[in-house]
Amino acid sequence: MDYLTFDLSHDAGGLTTIEAMASTAAAQHAAVMFEVQQLLDWAWAHFPDTHGSMDDGMDWDHDLQLHVEDGGWHTVTLTLAASSRFADAWRAAFPGVLDP
């Protein structure tokens, strides 16, 4: 990943939140969205039937926010709610992204 930076948090109930964010000039926006798509493609390929509400026992859910700021900066935030099973698979697929 060249543009996205990651933050990881856990709650007491075992939910992991993975947040990926980038703020770039318009010229880099397509490259950022390519990285976001790579992450979502991986999630859909490896956990295709367990996307949805964590309250319903699913392994992952996501929220994608796009915002264009004054001056043409594009901010992209992808937030993933993840079960421990999903988070463990994520770490194996993207070594170093969450655990520098």
Side-chain angles (χ1 to χ4, degrees):
M1 300 287 131
D2 294 321
Y3 295 96
L4 293 169
T5 59
F6 294 83
D7 186 44
L8 175 73
S9 62
H10 304 281
D11 73 8
L15 175 71
T16 299
T17 300
I18 303 166
E19 185 174 83
M21 189 182 114
S23 185
T24 62
Q28 287 79 38
H29 183 67
V32 171
M33 293 309 297
F34 180 75
E35 289 184 0
V36 167
Q37 192 61 56
Q38 285 180 301
L39 299 174
L40 289 173
D41 286 349
W42 176 88
W44 283 113
H46 290 85
F47 293 86
D49 300 322
T50 57
H51 175 266
S53 173
M54 304 303 288
D55 291 335
D56 293 336
M58 297 297 172
D59 280 310
W60 70 288
D61 203 357
H62 78 285
D63 180 55
L64 179 61
Q65 298 289 318
L66 307 171
H67 181 70
V68 179
E69 301 172 23
D70 291 339
W73 283 92
H74 290 67
T75 299
V76 176
T77 305
L78 174 64
T79 304
L80 297 163
S83 67
S84 58
R85 186 171 85 104
F86 183 97
D88 289 345
W90 178 280
R91 281 189 186 92
F94 302 101
V97 170
L98 296 179
D99 304 311

